[in-house]
Amino acid sequence: MKYQMILQSQQDFFRSGATLSISYRREVLSLLEGAILNRREQIESALAEDLGKSRQEAYSTEIAVVLSELRYARRHLKSWARSKAAVTPLSHWPGRQRVTPVPYGSVLILAPWNYPFQLCLSPLISALAAGNCAVVKPSELAGRTALVICALLEELFSPEYVSVCLGEAETAAALTALPFDKIFFTGSSAVGRKVLAAAANNLTPVTLELGGKSPCIVDSSANLKTAARRIMWGKILNCGQTCVAPDYVLVHQSVQKAFVLQCRAALEEFLGVNPLASPDYGHIINGAHYRRLMGLLEGCQILFGRETDPQSLRLSPTLVDNPSLDAPIMQEEIFGPILPVLSFHTLEEAVKIVQRYPRPLAAYFFCRDRQALKMMQQSFSYGGGCVNDTILHLASPHLPFGGIGESGMGKSHGRYGFLTFSHLQGCYQRYGQIEPSLRYPPYTAKKLFWMEKVMNLF
């Protein structure tokens, strides 16, 4: 009943038209920016407590990404929201056609625990920029950050505009059962299916940002030192708990040993000889996920790593040597600091391995041979990715971000996020009193003849 009342109050507020003006939306974004800057230390402390993030990682991967998204939206909002002319066919003259992005109404945002600030606030920015009201459900697994988000948003906004609902999985289930105008979910494929099923009862449109086994393919032409540094950075970021983290590496057999040596050297440069003691290395979110990761390592051939500290929920970056494709570690998204390294003889062989799995959220190609790169990129579908780097496509407000198939549906970031939370409303306006008789009964052979002539002009 509580959540139904929140939704009803938001629907009433939206129908008042208060959220529709561009000036109101821009003012809201400015207020949000100021509040984030004022609470920066609180946000960083919460992220350190929940995930062990260093200040730099907390700022660069969470706060800075949100601020960039916010400023970009505020700067371009007027042009995004503008009604745009569409081509008017001759059969519709005299008149004109236009397309206008209009807000859905009240939207629900379900945020995950791995980037609990960024992946809660970024879609909220897009929703508010598009003129919606919003209900936000932060992840209970990152409880400290959830409290900071709640305090920040409740300080700025009334609940009929933006409301924060804290709670366990039952809260999310109760919210998804309500007739929101749009649902935006980030998380696992298993929970995404439940969200989609619940939304279907109300025919609510849904955007899902999920995950999958994102591959790295390292061709023999790649710069191995650069590839190793960038892949290992992408893997240790947030202790591997990133939806677009490299999940496994396919490396050409001729350079596999050299690549592994470069990975070890890169890790020692980044985290020292004892990664668990590094202040720049985070921890696993909770005991259940830690035990799951340890279970994935059972029976694996370790290349290096596997130092553990159960008390602090830390597991050092661990490389696994050529696991079986049927092993548990190759059957699910790892979502932790474990990286299987598999060798291949030909690019066709590497592509066939990638094609065994559902289409991933990201793919990474390390190659200096243009023909080989073209072949790899055109051989399988993926949400987005990088060439000779990892992760960074996620942080650009200029690129659409989203999955395909089991890795998700819909797009976010920048203008793409604005459109995700907007309905594109088409409208035709007729001028004058001219009334062609072709369109009206009674229909005759002569009218059909001229109708075919007119329609064949297009």
Side-chain angles (χ1 to χ4, degrees):
M1 182 62 70
K2 171 187 173 182
Y3 304 132
Q4 290 176 332
M5 292 175 64
I6 292 173
L7 177 58
Q8 184 62 55
S9 67
Q10 290 201 347
Q11 290 173 337
D12 292 342
F13 184 69
F14 176 75
R15 292 187 188 110
S16 74
T19 69
L20 300 183
S21 74
I22 302 302
S23 59
Y24 180 86
R25 302 186 212 179
R26 294 177 77 170
E27 181 183 356
V28 163
L29 296 179
S30 295
L31 289 173
L32 185 55
E33 179 183 4
I36 292 170
L37 292 172
N38 289 338
R39 290 181 180 265
R40 175 177 168 177
E41 289 188 6
Q42 293 180 34
I43 298 165
E44 290 173 347
S45 296
L47 292 169
E49 185 174 330
D50 285 334
L51 289 152
K53 294 193 181 190
S54 66
R55 286 193 64 193
Q56 179 164 333
E57 185 174 322
Y59 180 75
S60 63
T61 65
E62 304 246 20
I63 300 171
V65 174
V66 169
L67 291 174
S68 173
E69 189 82 29
L70 195 156
R71 292 162 181 162
Y72 187 76
R74 190 176 60 219
R75 188 162 61 247
H76 294 279
L77 177 56
K78 188 174 182 180
S79 65
W80 292 347
R82 185 179 296 128
S83 175
K84 295 176 175 60
V87 174
T88 304
L90 187 60
S91 60
H92 288 56
W93 284 5
R96 69 171 185 172
Q97 299 185 139
R98 302 192 70 81
V99 178
T100 305
V102 297
Y104 277 106
S106 181
V107 304
L108 172 63
I109 297 170
L110 301 169
W113 54 262
N114 58 327
Y115 288 86
F117 187 76
Q118 181 215 136
L119 295 178
C120 182
L121 271 292
S122 287
L124 177 63
I125 289 165
S126 296
L128 299 184
N132 297 283
C133 300
V135 172
V136 173
K137 164 62 175 69
S139 172
E140 69 278 9
L141 298 184
R144 185 78 175 83
T145 306
L147 291 174
V148 172
I149 291 172
C150 184
L152 185 154
L153 295 179
E154 287 185 348
E155 177 186 273
L156 285 180
F157 307 123
S158 60
E160 64 264 20
Y161 182 41
V162 178
S163 183
V164 182
C165 295
L166 302 178
E168 305 289 327
E170 294 79 8
T171 299
L175 288 168
T176 54
L178 296 177
F180 281 92
D181 300 298
K182 173 80 179 185
I183 296 177
F184 189 103
F185 169 81
T186 307
S188 70
S189 298
V191 180
R193 286 185 172 87
K194 295 180 181 179
V195 171
L196 196 58
N201 291 326
N202 296 306
L203 297 180
T204 300
V206 178
T207 293
L208 300 176
E209 289 192 353
L210 307 176
K213 296 188 73 64
S214 297
C216 294
I217 302 180
V218 181
D219 183 53
S220 58
S221 67
N223 183 310
L224 295 184
K225 181 177 181 180
T226 300
R229 285 171 58 84
R230 294 174 182 174
I231 290 172
M232 295 316 300
W233 172 79
K235 194 60 178 177
I236 66 174
L237 194 70
N238 199 26
C239 206
Q241 299 166 121
T242 304
C243 58
V244 291
D247 193 87
Y248 61 100
V249 177
L250 294 162
V251 58
H252 195 275
Q253 187 180 43
S254 64
V255 295
Q256 183 187 14
K257 290 183 180 179
F259 172 76
V260 171
L261 289 174
Q262 290 291 350
C263 288
R264 183 190 286 269
L267 279 174
E268 289 187 2
E269 177 189 347
F270 298 157
L271 304 177
V273 294
N274 183 10
L276 301 187
S278 172
D280 298 319
Y281 187 56
H283 62 73
I284 308 304
I285 183 68
N286 60 24
H289 282 274
Y290 177 84
R291 291 187 292 273
R292 179 185 63 84
L293 291 170
M294 296 306 296
L296 292 179
L297 287 174
E298 291 180 4
C300 292
Q301 182 68 37
I302 307 299
L303 289 165
F304 64 81
R306 209 185 183 284
E307 294 87 8
T308 62
D309 183 356
Q311 296 302 315
S312 62
L313 298 178
R314 280 184 165 85
L315 168 64
S316 68
T318 303
L319 265 64
V320 174
D321 186 26
N322 274 306
S324 166
L325 297 181
D326 296 320
I329 200 170
M330 294 301 296
Q331 292 300 307
E332 64 179 75
E333 184 179 4
I334 294 172
F335 223 69
I338 303 170
L339 187 64
V341 179
L342 300 91
S343 60
F344 65 87
H345 295 85
T346 66
L347 286 176
E348 289 78 10
E349 180 186 348
V351 166
K352 285 182 179 179
I353 293 174
V354 175
Q355 291 173 338
R356 285 175 57 103
Y357 303 102
R359 289 171 288 183
L361 183 56
Y364 304 112
F365 307 97
F366 290 84
C367 181
R368 290 186 288 187
D369 183 322
R370 290 186 178 180
Q371 287 301 112
L373 176 61
K374 183 178 179 180
M375 177 268 186
M376 289 187 287
Q377 288 185 303
Q378 294 181 348
S379 295
F380 60 91
S381 298
Y382 53 95
C386 304
V387 176
N388 295 322
D389 214 328
T390 62
I391 306 292
L392 292 185
H393 68 293
L394 169 64
S396 173
H398 303 275
L399 290 176
F401 179 76
I404 179 171
E406 290 199 18
S407 60
M409 60 179 70
K411 302 297 180 185
S412 62
H413 294 183
R415 180 173 178 269
Y416 304 97
F418 174 88
L419 292 176
T420 287
F421 287 99
S422 301
H423 166 63
L424 295 181
Q425 191 175 79
C427 184
Y428 166 66
Q429 181 178 355
R430 186 66 177 264
Y431 299 138
Q433 302 299 316
I434 298 175
E435 287 280 27
S437 62
L438 292 180
R439 64 187 282 189
Y440 298 116
Y443 299 124
T444 63
K446 183 178 181 180
K447 284 186 177 182
L448 178 59
F449 172 81
W450 284 109
M451 176 67 74
E452 290 174 348
K453 292 286 187 184
V454 171
M455 297 306 295
N456 287 334
L457 294 174
F458 312 112

mmCIF file of all heavy atoms in Angstrom, residues 160-195:
data_model
loop_
_atom_site.group_PDB
_atom_site.id
_atom_site.type_symbol
_atom_site.label_atom_id
_atom_site.label_comp_id
_atom_site.label_asym_id
_atom_site.label_seq_id
_atom_site.Cartn_x
_atom_site.Cartn_y
_atom_site.Cartn_z
ATOM 1 N N GLU A 160 6.941 13.005 -4.130
ATOM 2 C CA GLU A 160 6.078 12.915 -5.312
ATOM 3 C C GLU A 160 6.853 13.188 -6.606
ATOM 4 O O GLU A 160 6.326 12.978 -7.698
ATOM 5 C CB GLU A 160 4.895 13.880 -5.212
ATOM 6 C CG GLU A 160 5.270 15.339 -5.178
ATOM 7 C CD GLU A 160 5.353 15.882 -3.761
ATOM 8 O OE1 GLU A 160 5.494 15.069 -2.824
ATOM 9 O OE2 GLU A 160 5.267 17.115 -3.610
ATOM 10 N N TYR A 161 8.111 13.625 -6.473
ATOM 11 C CA TYR A 161 8.972 13.818 -7.640
ATOM 12 C C TYR A 161 10.040 12.719 -7.718
ATOM 13 O O TYR A 161 10.123 11.984 -8.698
ATOM 14 C CB TYR A 161 9.616 15.199 -7.579
ATOM 15 C CG TYR A 161 10.485 15.523 -8.772
ATOM 16 C CD1 TYR A 161 10.114 15.185 -10.074
ATOM 17 C CD2 TYR A 161 11.686 16.208 -8.600
ATOM 18 C CE1 TYR A 161 10.909 15.493 -11.161
ATOM 19 C CE2 TYR A 161 12.489 16.528 -9.681
ATOM 20 C CZ TYR A 161 12.099 16.168 -10.961
ATOM 21 O OH TYR A 161 12.898 16.481 -12.040
ATOM 22 N N VAL A 162 10.833 12.588 -6.683
ATOM 23 C CA VAL A 162 11.835 11.521 -6.592
ATOM 24 C C VAL A 162 11.713 10.868 -5.224
ATOM 25 O O VAL A 162 11.799 11.544 -4.202
ATOM 26 C CB VAL A 162 13.266 12.046 -6.793
ATOM 27 C CG1 VAL A 162 14.276 10.898 -6.632
ATOM 28 C CG2 VAL A 162 13.426 12.686 -8.164
ATOM 29 N N SER A 163 11.507 9.564 -5.214
ATOM 30 C CA SER A 163 11.363 8.823 -3.962
ATOM 31 C C SER A 163 12.385 7.698 -3.922
ATOM 32 O O SER A 163 12.659 7.056 -4.939
ATOM 33 C CB SER A 163 9.945 8.239 -3.849
ATOM 34 O OG SER A 163 9.765 7.582 -2.613
ATOM 35 N N VAL A 164 12.962 7.457 -2.738
ATOM 36 C CA VAL A 164 13.924 6.376 -2.544
ATOM 37 C C VAL A 164 13.279 5.310 -1.667
ATOM 38 O O VAL A 164 12.759 5.616 -0.588
ATOM 39 C CB VAL A 164 15.221 6.891 -1.889
ATOM 40 C CG1 VAL A 164 16.226 5.747 -1.740
ATOM 41 C CG2 VAL A 164 15.823 8.020 -2.707
ATOM 42 N N CYS A 165 13.310 4.074 -2.125
ATOM 43 C CA CYS A 165 12.757 2.958 -1.364
ATOM 44 C C CYS A 165 13.881 2.006 -0.984
ATOM 45 O O CYS A 165 14.482 1.366 -1.867
ATOM 46 C CB CYS A 165 11.695 2.221 -2.176
ATOM 47 S SG CYS A 165 10.234 3.209 -2.549
ATOM 48 N N LEU A 166 14.195 1.908 0.295
ATOM 49 C CA LEU A 166 15.219 0.996 0.779
ATOM 50 C C LEU A 166 14.579 -0.321 1.172
ATOM 51 O O LEU A 166 13.412 -0.369 1.570
ATOM 52 C CB LEU A 166 15.949 1.607 1.978
ATOM 53 C CG LEU A 166 16.637 2.952 1.755
ATOM 54 C CD1 LEU A 166 17.276 3.443 3.057
ATOM 55 C CD2 LEU A 166 17.678 2.860 0.652
ATOM 56 N N GLY A 167 15.334 -1.390 1.055
ATOM 57 C CA GLY A 167 14.801 -2.683 1.470
ATOM 58 C C GLY A 167 15.474 -3.840 0.765
ATOM 59 O O GLY A 167 16.401 -3.661 -0.032
ATOM 60 N N GLU A 168 14.990 -5.045 1.074
ATOM 61 C CA GLU A 168 15.557 -6.274 0.520
ATOM 62 C C GLU A 168 14.888 -6.604 -0.822
ATOM 63 O O GLU A 168 14.201 -5.772 -1.417
ATOM 64 C CB GLU A 168 15.336 -7.417 1.521
ATOM 65 C CG GLU A 168 15.868 -7.144 2.911
ATOM 66 C CD GLU A 168 17.382 -7.151 2.981
ATOM 67 O OE1 GLU A 168 17.993 -7.933 2.218
ATOM 68 O OE2 GLU A 168 17.954 -6.383 3.771
ATOM 69 N N ALA A 169 15.081 -7.835 -1.264
ATOM 70 C CA ALA A 169 14.531 -8.271 -2.546
ATOM 71 C C ALA A 169 13.004 -8.161 -2.578
ATOM 72 O O ALA A 169 12.409 -7.926 -3.638
ATOM 73 C CB ALA A 169 14.968 -9.698 -2.833
ATOM 74 N N GLU A 170 12.374 -8.324 -1.413
ATOM 75 C CA GLU A 170 10.908 -8.233 -1.359
ATOM 76 C C GLU A 170 10.427 -6.842 -1.771
ATOM 77 O O GLU A 170 9.368 -6.691 -2.380
ATOM 78 C CB GLU A 170 10.400 -8.568 0.045
ATOM 79 C CG GLU A 170 10.632 -10.006 0.470
ATOM 80 C CD GLU A 170 12.060 -10.269 0.930
ATOM 81 O OE1 GLU A 170 12.838 -9.301 1.067
ATOM 82 O OE2 GLU A 170 12.410 -11.450 1.144
ATOM 83 N N THR A 171 11.212 -5.823 -1.412
ATOM 84 C CA THR A 171 10.850 -4.456 -1.789
ATOM 85 C C THR A 171 10.887 -4.296 -3.301
ATOM 86 O O THR A 171 9.966 -3.721 -3.899
ATOM 87 C CB THR A 171 11.823 -3.457 -1.133
ATOM 88 O OG1 THR A 171 11.742 -3.573 0.287
ATOM 89 C CG2 THR A 171 11.488 -2.022 -1.533
ATOM 90 N N ALA A 172 11.944 -4.810 -3.919
ATOM 91 C CA ALA A 172 12.053 -4.733 -5.377
ATOM 92 C C ALA A 172 10.901 -5.477 -6.045
ATOM 93 O O ALA A 172 10.333 -5.006 -7.044
ATOM 94 C CB ALA A 172 13.389 -5.297 -5.832
ATOM 95 N N ALA A 173 10.541 -6.644 -5.505
ATOM 96 C CA ALA A 173 9.442 -7.420 -6.083
ATOM 97 C C ALA A 173 8.118 -6.668 -5.978
ATOM 98 O O ALA A 173 7.312 -6.664 -6.921
ATOM 99 C CB ALA A 173 9.343 -8.775 -5.379
ATOM 100 N N ALA A 174 7.891 -6.028 -4.833
ATOM 101 C CA ALA A 174 6.655 -5.265 -4.652
ATOM 102 C C ALA A 174 6.596 -4.076 -5.608
ATOM 103 O O ALA A 174 5.533 -3.757 -6.163
ATOM 104 C CB ALA A 174 6.550 -4.785 -3.210
ATOM 105 N N LEU A 175 7.731 -3.445 -5.840
ATOM 106 C CA LEU A 175 7.769 -2.285 -6.737
ATOM 107 C C LEU A 175 7.546 -2.690 -8.187
ATOM 108 O O LEU A 175 6.796 -2.034 -8.922
ATOM 109 C CB LEU A 175 9.107 -1.559 -6.590
ATOM 110 C CG LEU A 175 9.324 -0.781 -5.287
ATOM 111 C CD1 LEU A 175 10.776 -0.360 -5.141
ATOM 112 C CD2 LEU A 175 8.406 0.438 -5.225
ATOM 113 N N THR A 176 8.182 -3.775 -8.615
ATOM 114 C CA THR A 176 8.045 -4.179 -10.021
ATOM 115 C C THR A 176 6.636 -4.672 -10.345
ATOM 116 O O THR A 176 6.260 -4.731 -11.520
ATOM 117 C CB THR A 176 9.062 -5.283 -10.385
ATOM 118 O OG1 THR A 176 8.937 -6.373 -9.461
ATOM 119 C CG2 THR A 176 10.482 -4.752 -10.328
ATOM 120 N N ALA A 177 5.874 -5.011 -9.318
ATOM 121 C CA ALA A 177 4.495 -5.447 -9.546
ATOM 122 C C ALA A 177 3.551 -4.276 -9.807
ATOM 123 O O ALA A 177 2.416 -4.481 -10.254
ATOM 124 C CB ALA A 177 3.985 -6.250 -8.350
ATOM 125 N N LEU A 178 4.013 -3.054 -9.567
ATOM 126 C CA LEU A 178 3.160 -1.875 -9.736
ATOM 127 C C LEU A 178 3.200 -1.373 -11.176
ATOM 128 O O LEU A 178 4.184 -1.582 -11.892
ATOM 129 C CB LEU A 178 3.619 -0.763 -8.783
ATOM 130 C CG LEU A 178 3.489 -1.064 -7.289
ATOM 131 C CD1 LEU A 178 4.040 0.088 -6.462
ATOM 132 C CD2 LEU A 178 2.037 -1.334 -6.920
ATOM 133 N N PRO A 179 2.164 -0.661 -11.608
ATOM 134 C CA PRO A 179 2.079 -0.205 -13.001
ATOM 135 C C PRO A 179 2.876 1.070 -13.271
ATOM 136 O O PRO A 179 2.315 2.120 -13.623
ATOM 137 C CB PRO A 179 0.577 0.012 -13.205
ATOM 138 C CG PRO A 179 0.078 0.401 -11.849
ATOM 139 C CD PRO A 179 0.888 -0.407 -10.874
ATOM 140 N N PHE A 180 4.192 0.996 -13.113
ATOM 141 C CA PHE A 180 5.039 2.119 -13.493
ATOM 142 C C PHE A 180 4.974 2.301 -15.011
ATOM 143 O O PHE A 180 4.595 1.394 -15.762
ATOM 144 C CB PHE A 180 6.483 1.879 -13.061
ATOM 145 C CG PHE A 180 6.736 2.140 -11.599
ATOM 146 C CD1 PHE A 180 6.631 1.112 -10.666
ATOM 147 C CD2 PHE A 180 7.074 3.405 -11.151
ATOM 148 C CE1 PHE A 180 6.849 1.346 -9.317
ATOM 149 C CE2 PHE A 180 7.294 3.655 -9.811
ATOM 150 C CZ PHE A 180 7.180 2.634 -8.887
ATOM 151 N N ASP A 181 5.375 3.481 -15.461
ATOM 152 C CA ASP A 181 5.364 3.764 -16.895
ATOM 153 C C ASP A 181 6.629 3.280 -17.594
ATOM 154 O O ASP A 181 6.669 3.187 -18.821
ATOM 155 C CB ASP A 181 5.183 5.273 -17.122
ATOM 156 C CG ASP A 181 3.874 5.770 -16.530
ATOM 157 O OD1 ASP A 181 2.817 5.300 -16.976
ATOM 158 O OD2 ASP A 181 3.911 6.607 -15.602
ATOM 159 N N LYS A 182 7.677 2.991 -16.805
ATOM 160 C CA LYS A 182 8.945 2.499 -17.358
ATOM 161 C C LYS A 182 9.752 1.907 -16.201
ATOM 162 O O LYS A 182 9.710 2.423 -15.081
ATOM 163 C CB LYS A 182 9.727 3.655 -17.999
ATOM 164 C CG LYS A 182 11.121 3.315 -18.469
ATOM 165 C CD LYS A 182 11.107 2.616 -19.820
ATOM 166 C CE LYS A 182 12.507 2.295 -20.307
ATOM 167 N NZ LYS A 182 12.534 1.730 -21.653
ATOM 168 N N ILE A 183 10.473 0.813 -16.475
ATOM 169 C CA ILE A 183 11.362 0.223 -15.473
ATOM 170 C C ILE A 183 12.754 0.123 -16.083
ATOM 171 O O ILE A 183 12.927 -0.311 -17.225
ATOM 172 C CB ILE A 183 10.891 -1.179 -15.030
ATOM 173 C CG1 ILE A 183 9.533 -1.086 -14.328
ATOM 174 C CG2 ILE A 183 11.919 -1.827 -14.102
ATOM 175 C CD1 ILE A 183 8.956 -2.442 -13.915
ATOM 176 N N PHE A 184 13.748 0.533 -15.296
ATOM 177 C CA PHE A 184 15.153 0.449 -15.694
ATOM 178 C C PHE A 184 15.865 -0.406 -14.653
ATOM 179 O O PHE A 184 15.960 -0.024 -13.493
ATOM 180 C CB PHE A 184 15.775 1.844 -15.757
ATOM 181 C CG PHE A 184 17.151 1.884 -16.365
ATOM 182 C CD1 PHE A 184 17.332 2.336 -17.661
ATOM 183 C CD2 PHE A 184 18.267 1.491 -15.641
ATOM 184 C CE1 PHE A 184 18.597 2.381 -18.226
ATOM 185 C CE2 PHE A 184 19.532 1.532 -16.198
ATOM 186 C CZ PHE A 184 19.710 1.986 -17.497
ATOM 187 N N PHE A 185 16.364 -1.567 -15.080
ATOM 188 C CA PHE A 185 17.004 -2.504 -14.153
ATOM 189 C C PHE A 185 18.438 -2.784 -14.566
ATOM 190 O O PHE A 185 18.724 -3.021 -15.741
ATOM 191 C CB PHE A 185 16.229 -3.827 -14.114
ATOM 192 C CG PHE A 185 16.962 -4.938 -13.390
ATOM 193 C CD1 PHE A 185 16.943 -5.004 -12.005
ATOM 194 C CD2 PHE A 185 17.681 -5.893 -14.098
ATOM 195 C CE1 PHE A 185 17.629 -6.014 -11.339
ATOM 196 C CE2 PHE A 185 18.352 -6.908 -13.442
ATOM 197 C CZ PHE A 185 18.335 -6.967 -12.056
ATOM 198 N N THR A 186 19.339 -2.762 -13.598
ATOM 199 C CA THR A 186 20.721 -3.177 -13.808
ATOM 200 C C THR A 186 21.034 -4.288 -12.814
ATOM 201 O O THR A 186 20.831 -4.120 -11.611
ATOM 202 C CB THR A 186 21.702 -2.010 -13.593
ATOM 203 O OG1 THR A 186 21.308 -0.896 -14.405
ATOM 204 C CG2 THR A 186 23.117 -2.424 -13.971
ATOM 205 N N GLY A 187 21.535 -5.426 -13.326
ATOM 206 C CA GLY A 187 21.842 -6.533 -12.427
ATOM 207 C C GLY A 187 22.046 -7.824 -13.195
ATOM 208 O O GLY A 187 22.414 -7.820 -14.376
ATOM 209 N N SER A 188 21.770 -8.929 -12.526
ATOM 210 C CA SER A 188 22.021 -10.245 -13.110
ATOM 211 C C SER A 188 20.909 -10.646 -14.078
ATOM 212 O O SER A 188 19.777 -10.143 -14.012
ATOM 213 C CB SER A 188 22.125 -11.295 -12.004
ATOM 214 O OG SER A 188 20.860 -11.513 -11.398
ATOM 215 N N SER A 189 21.243 -11.585 -14.961
ATOM 216 C CA SER A 189 20.250 -12.085 -15.918
ATOM 217 C C SER A 189 19.105 -12.794 -15.207
ATOM 218 O O SER A 189 17.939 -12.683 -15.622
ATOM 219 C CB SER A 189 20.917 -13.044 -16.901
ATOM 220 O OG SER A 189 21.909 -12.384 -17.652
ATOM 221 N N ALA A 190 19.419 -13.511 -14.114
ATOM 222 C CA ALA A 190 18.383 -14.245 -13.392
ATOM 223 C C ALA A 190 17.335 -13.299 -12.822
ATOM 224 O O ALA A 190 16.123 -13.523 -12.952
ATOM 225 C CB ALA A 190 19.015 -15.081 -12.281
ATOM 226 N N VAL A 191 17.784 -12.223 -12.187
ATOM 227 C CA VAL A 191 16.842 -11.250 -11.629
ATOM 228 C C VAL A 191 16.181 -10.452 -12.742
ATOM 229 O O VAL A 191 15.000 -10.100 -12.660
ATOM 230 C CB VAL A 191 17.555 -10.319 -10.631
ATOM 231 C CG1 VAL A 191 16.572 -9.299 -10.048
ATOM 232 C CG2 VAL A 191 18.192 -11.122 -9.497
ATOM 233 N N GLY A 192 16.913 -10.195 -13.814
ATOM 234 C CA GLY A 192 16.345 -9.478 -14.945
ATOM 235 C C GLY A 192 15.133 -10.186 -15.531
ATOM 236 O O GLY A 192 14.154 -9.550 -15.931
ATOM 237 N N ARG A 193 15.195 -11.502 -15.574
ATOM 238 C CA ARG A 193 14.044 -12.277 -16.069
ATOM 239 C C ARG A 193 12.826 -12.069 -15.168
ATOM 240 O O ARG A 193 11.688 -11.975 -15.643
ATOM 241 C CB ARG A 193 14.405 -13.752 -16.146
ATOM 242 C CG ARG A 193 15.328 -14.106 -17.299
ATOM 243 C CD ARG A 193 15.537 -15.617 -17.375
ATOM 244 N NE ARG A 193 16.258 -15.988 -18.590
ATOM 245 C CZ ARG A 193 17.576 -16.026 -18.693
ATOM 246 N NH1 ARG A 193 18.322 -15.721 -17.641
ATOM 247 N NH2 ARG A 193 18.155 -16.361 -19.829
ATOM 248 N N LYS A 194 13.060 -12.025 -13.860
ATOM 249 C CA LYS A 194 11.947 -11.810 -12.922
ATOM 250 C C LYS A 194 11.348 -10.421 -13.097
ATOM 251 O O LYS A 194 10.127 -10.247 -13.054
ATOM 252 C CB LYS A 194 12.441 -12.002 -11.488
ATOM 253 C CG LYS A 194 12.885 -13.418 -11.156
ATOM 254 C CD LYS A 194 13.367 -13.513 -9.720
ATOM 255 C CE LYS A 194 13.838 -14.927 -9.383
ATOM 256 N NZ LYS A 194 14.340 -15.019 -7.987
ATOM 257 N N VAL A 195 12.210 -9.420 -13.291
ATOM 258 C CA VAL A 195 11.730 -8.058 -13.500
ATOM 259 C C VAL A 195 10.895 -7.990 -14.775
ATOM 260 O O VAL A 195 9.809 -7.390 -14.807
ATOM 261 C CB VAL A 195 12.917 -7.080 -13.575
ATOM 262 C CG1 VAL A 195 12.455 -5.687 -14.017
ATOM 263 C CG2 VAL A 195 13.622 -6.989 -12.224
#
